[in-house]
Amino acid sequence: QLQASGGGLVQAGGSLRLSCAASGRIRSIADMGWYRQAPGKQRELVASVSSGGSTNYADSVKGRFTISRDNAKNTVYLQMNSLKSEDTAVYYCKGTIVVLARGQNDYWGQGTLVTVSS
């Protein structure tokens, strides 16, 4: 399973760091990423990182957000700086995980709410 944490209320211009840890009978983890869903909008990709460390960002967060992962801890992070009100959303982590005896599947965390006040 994936357990996300780190959301909260922050003023515009502030920073937050999200974490998402995978647990269970994990053999390996390929891509990990963060998605977000604002009220009335579709879920969108924020950032992703491959097992080799290659990253991809949505244009709206480039230069402000940084995704990273700690493979030893099966954890992905999202450092969010210069937050804007439009970043307000529920943030979900996703991992493409090979689980022993189950093969490879996509798993989602439970979501963590980020609220940016203007």
Side-chain angles (χ1 to χ4, degrees), residues 1-116:
Q1 64 178 10
L2 292 174
Q3 183 70 38
S5 61
L9 174 64
V10 63
Q11 289 188 333
S15 298
L16 280 175
R17 188 192 195 206
L18 306 182
S19 300
C20 179
S23 62
R25 302 179 66 195
I26 298 170
R27 180 173 182 179
S28 63
I29 303 178
D31 291 350
M32 301 188 81
W34 289 95
Y35 291 71
R36 67 186 180 186
Q37 187 166 18
K41 295 187 177 181
Q42 289 186 330
R43 190 173 297 188
E44 63 176 358
L45 174 67
V46 176
S48 64
V49 58
S50 71
S51 57
S54 297
T55 58
N56 180 48
Y57 295 93
D59 288 343
S60 59
V61 307
K62 283 181 181 177
R64 300 188 297 121
F65 291 10
T66 302
I67 190 170
S68 61
R69 63 189 285 174
D70 184 332
N71 291 328
K73 296 181 179 180
N74 292 329
T75 300
V76 62
Y77 305 96
L78 186 68
Q79 178 66 44
M80 304 185 293
N81 298 329
S82 303
L83 283 161
K84 306 175 181 179
S85 57
E86 51 262 45
D87 295 318
T88 295
V90 177
Y91 284 70
Y92 299 89
C93 59
K94 176 186 171 183
T96 301
I97 302 173
V98 178
V99 177
L100 292 172
R102 290 189 177 182
Q104 179 173 296
N105 285 289
D106 288 339
Y107 295 86
W108 291 89
Q110 84 281 12
T112 184
L113 177 62
V114 172
T115 304
V116 184

